[in-house]
Amino acid sequence: MRTAVFWGCVIPNAQYAYELSVREVLPRLGVELVDLEDVSCCGTPIMSVNMNAFLYLAARNLAIAEKTGLKTLLVPCSGCRLSFSEAMHYLRRDEKLQEKINSLLKDEGLEYTGTIRMRFITDLLCNVVKKEYIQKLTKKTLNELKLASHYGCHAIRPSSIERTDDPENPRNLDDLIGWLGARSEAYPEKLDCCGSLLLWSHHDAAFTFAGLKLKAIQDRGFDGVVVTCPACHMMFDERQKAVASTVGSKLDLPVLYYTQLLGLAMGIEEEKLGLHLNRSPVDKLLEKIG
Amino acid sequence: MTITDLMTTKKPDSKLRLKVLEKIGEHKPYNCFQCIRCTSGCPAMKMLELKPHEIVNLAKLGFIEDVVNSGIIWTCAMCLKCKERCPQEVAPVDLILALRNLAVEMEAKIPEGHLKNVSMILETGFILTPREAITRKLEKYSRDKLGLPKLPKPSEKFKATFLKALGTS
Ligand code: SF4
Ligand code: SF4
C-alpha cells in the first residue's frame, strides 16, 4: 500500500531514530511512504492557547495530505494523532466551523474535506500489515526479553472518536511485541503518563512523572521499555539521567521504539535503525538479542 | 481558594460562564454529578493538587475569573483520563483547555512554555528547530549526516493565515 506520512515536530527535529527506523522498516513490509510538502506543527501544542488556531493547523495539514489523493495518512506521533482525531471530530460535527476553518485555508488554496483516513503506527502495523506478514519477515525471535509496553496517552485516548484499541486495557503494542517472540508483561503502572506536556508549565513535575514510571518498570525486572511516541521517548530515553534524580535512584533501563525492535527482529543493522542515537543503555538489550 | 471560600467571598459571573460553555461543545459541566471519578485517576492530582471535579464545579457555578487566574489550570498533564472515564461525558480536560484559552484572551498570566510554542510556530512552522543528535559515544549527527530529507519551511502566506487564526475566538 501507499500512504502519506505526517512526522510532526518532535520526530523530524529531535527524534531521528524514530524517523530512521520507520523509513527503514515499513517499506520492507510493503508500505510505501509518501512525504508531505509544506506541512507544519500538528496543532496539539497550542490547544491551550487558541482552539481555532489549533483547528486551523490540524485542518491545514490534513488538507495537504488529502491533496495527494492518497486514502491513508500514517501518523507515528501520538500527539499528532490527538490533534487530527479531535479536529476530524469537531469539523465533521459542525458544518459552520468547517466553513470557518476552510475560509482560512483558502488563502493557501487548500480545502479540508474529511476524506482521508488517519492511522496511528500501531494501528497500521496491527490491522493493515498484520501478524502473518510481520512474522514472515522476522529472522530472529526475541524470546529472551521481558519488555514493558508504554502506549502514550494520546495514542489511546480519547477512544470515543476512532476506537482502535481498548483505552483501559490496550492490546495493540503488546500484541506487536509478542509477535516477535518477546514477553510483554502487564504491570500496574502501564497506563501512567510520561508527563511530557507538563514541560511547558511544570518542568519538575513532568520529570517526576517520568521518573516514577521508569523506576517502577525497572524495579519489576523488565529488560526494557518499548514506546511509539517521540515525546514519551524523549522523557524516558534522552532525559533518563535527569529524571532519575527526581526519584532519587539510579535508572539504567533500555528504552527503544517499537519500529527499532521490529527492525532488529527483521535482522536490520543497528545503525540503519538509529540505535546509535538512543541515549539509554540499549547495548544491554542488544547483547541479549545477539 | 476552596469552593466554600469562593461562595462566601465572590459572586459568580454568568457572562463569563456562558463564554466558557460556548467553547466546550457537547461536554457540558452541568451534567456533572460530582462523583469524583475524574479526580481519583488524575495524575496531576497526586503531583500538583489539581482536582478536575472541583474545576468542573466552579465552572458550573460560574466562578470563572478565579479559576482562570489561579494558575491551577496549567497543572493538567493532558493525559485525557478524565475525559475517557467520566460517566457523564463532561470531559474536564476540555473545560480546562477552554479556561486556558480564556486566560489567554483575558491576558492572565500564561506559562512561558505555552507562549513560546506560538512564537516558534510563527517563526519556523514547528515548535522545535532541527538539532544535532548526540550518540551514547558522544558523536554528533545532523539530519543531513543521517541521510534524512530536508524539512519544509513555512511560507509567508502560512504565517499570515496562522496569525489570522490566532486572532479569532
Ligand atoms: S467524572 Fe465526570 S461526573 Fe464525575 S465528578 Fe468528574 S466531571 Fe463530574
Ligand atoms: S487530562 Fe488533566 S485533569 Fe484530566 S486526568 Fe489528565 S491530568 Fe487530570
Side-chain angles (χ1 to χ4, degrees):
Chain A
M1 74 170 302
R2 286 179 90 217
T3 176
V5 55
F6 180 83
W7 298 104
C9 291
V10 184
I11 299 172
N13 286 296
Q15 287 294 301
Y16 306 136
Y18 199 12
E19 187 174 339
L20 284 169
S21 57
V22 171
R23 287 189 191 277
E24 192 60 41
V25 164
L26 284 185
R28 298 183 194 226
L29 291 165
V31 180
E32 189 191 330
L33 303 174
V34 179
D35 279 75
L36 297 170
E37 274 169 37
D38 295 328
V39 282
S40 65
C41 167
C42 73
T44 293
I46 57 159
M47 278 180 174
S48 297
V49 176
N50 187 312
M51 272 293 172
N52 286 317
F54 144 66
L55 281 173
Y56 160 70
L57 287 179
R60 179 180 179 274
N61 290 314
L62 287 169
I64 292 172
E66 284 178 352
K67 226 170 72 174
T68 62
L70 292 162
K71 290 193 186 71
T72 319
L73 175 63
L74 166 65
V75 178
C77 167
S78 62
C80 303
R81 180 212 163 263
L82 173 69
S83 160
F84 294 154
S85 56
E86 293 273 304
M88 284 169 165
H89 172 72
Y90 284 123
L91 297 173
R92 190 184 309 132
R93 218 190 37 182
D94 187 340
E95 242 174 70
K96 273 210 185 102
L97 186 63
Q98 184 163 341
E99 268 169 37
K100 182 170 153 185
I101 297 297
N102 267 330
S103 74
L104 289 165
L105 295 182
K106 226 168 56 209
D107 290 1
E108 285 185 283
L110 293 168
E111 192 192 359
Y112 171 74
T113 58
T115 47
I116 202 155
R117 162 133 194 213
M118 172 188 48
R119 284 199 185 263
F120 187 60
I121 183 97
T122 45
D123 175 24
L124 187 93
L125 287 168
C126 277
N127 303 318
V128 180
V129 177
K130 296 192 182 143
K131 181 180 179 183
E132 292 69 30
Y133 203 8
I134 289 181
Q135 288 189 329
K136 207 170 87 189
L137 291 194
T138 47
K139 298 199 175 95
K140 290 184 195 172
T141 41
L142 311 178
N143 44 21
E144 293 299 312
L145 301 178
K146 173 181 155 180
L147 298 169
S149 61
H150 171 84
Y151 279 79
C153 295
H154 301 161
I156 49 173
R157 288 184 289 272
S159 64
S160 51
I161 296 173
E162 28 112 48
R163 194 185 184 108
T164 57
D165 212 338
D166 183 330
E168 297 294 348
N169 183 23
R171 296 302 320 156
N172 280 350
L173 185 53
D174 293 86
D175 288 347
L176 284 164
I177 294 169
W179 296 346
L180 308 179
R183 274 177 302 141
S184 176
E185 285 183 14
Y187 60 104
E189 300 79 12
K190 187 164 170 173
L191 294 185
D192 287 5
C193 164
C194 78
S196 65
L197 287 205
L198 272 177
L199 285 176
W200 301 323
S201 55
H202 293 80
H203 196 271
D204 295 351
F207 274 35
T208 314
F209 271 59
L212 287 172
K213 178 149 188 171
L214 288 180
K215 176 150 190 336
I217 294 174
Q218 181 168 290
D219 289 351
R220 292 181 193 285
F222 282 97
D223 293 312
V225 189
V226 181
V227 303
T228 52
C229 170
C232 304
H233 194 273
M234 258 167 108
M235 294 301 284
F236 291 164
D237 176 82
E238 186 180 310
R239 302 187 171 117
Q240 190 172 121
K241 280 211 180 86
V243 306
S245 65
T246 63
V247 287
S249 53
K250 196 170 177 289
L251 291 173
D252 192 28
L253 192 62
V255 180
L256 77 174
Y257 287 108
Y258 179 73
T259 40
Q260 293 183 303
L261 188 76
L262 175 57
L264 285 169
M266 289 164 75
I268 301 172
E269 295 141 66
E270 291 164 18
E271 287 226 346
K272 284 191 175 161
L273 300 167
L275 276 155
H276 53 317
L277 304 177
N278 296 47
R279 301 293 294 278
S280 60
V282 289
D283 299 297
K284 286 207 288 197
L285 199 124
L286 298 173
E287 269 165 35
K288 277 200 184 157
I289 296 175
Chain B
M1 204 179 270
T2 67
I3 295 183
T4 349
D5 289 339
L6 282 172
M7 289 182 93
T8 47
T9 57
K10 299 269 166 95
K11 277 209 171 72
D13 185 328
S14 56
K15 254 201 207 134
L16 274 181
R17 183 176 168 278
L18 273 180
K19 209 166 172 182
V20 173
L21 288 183
E22 268 168 27
K23 286 184 191 288
I24 47 176
E26 76 251 65
H27 304 289
K28 303 294 186 217
Y30 49 70
N31 288 333
C32 168
F33 49 32
Q34 292 288 293
C35 70
I36 317 195
R37 197 173 174 189
C38 49
T39 300
S40 68
C42 171
M45 190 269 288
K46 292 174 198 126
M47 213 84 75
L48 297 160
E49 292 176 16
L50 170 64
K51 298 185 193 74
H53 76 285
E54 224 170 80
I55 308 262
V56 173
N57 209 15
L58 288 171
K60 196 167 145 180
L61 296 169
F63 294 108
I64 307 292
E65 210 171 340
D66 306 273
V67 194
V68 163
N69 288 312
S70 75
I72 194 76
I73 49 174
W74 302 97
T75 60
C76 164
M78 274 183 79
C79 75
L80 306 187
K81 282 186 181 154
C82 55
K83 181 169 179 166
E84 192 64 52
R85 292 173 181 169
C86 173
Q88 293 293 89
E89 295 185 12
V90 172
V93 59
D94 286 6
L95 172 64
I96 290 170
L97 287 174
L99 291 164
R100 288 179 178 184
N101 278 207
L102 192 63
V104 174
E105 273 172 52
M106 289 166 68
E107 295 177 15
K109 203 166 172 285
I110 315 296
E112 271 309 306
H114 287 274
L115 296 176
K116 196 174 157 227
N117 286 340
V118 176
S119 57
M120 283 296 290
I121 295 171
L122 255 184
E123 228 173 277
T124 68
F126 301 97
I127 57 164
L128 300 168
T129 47
R131 55 162 202 226
E132 278 194 324
I134 304 170
T135 67
R136 288 188 297 293
K137 292 186 186 127
L138 302 179
E139 298 146 337
K140 288 183 178 174
Y141 282 92
S142 62
R143 279 187 70 81
D144 234 16
K145 203 165 149 194
L146 291 164
L148 291 168
K150 285 225 157 5
L151 286 180
K153 281 221 165 65
S155 65
E156 288 306 314
K157 233 185 204 154
F158 162 71
K159 290 183 195 176
T161 323
F162 180 52
L163 267 180
K164 216 198 253 180
L166 279 170
T168 59
S169 63

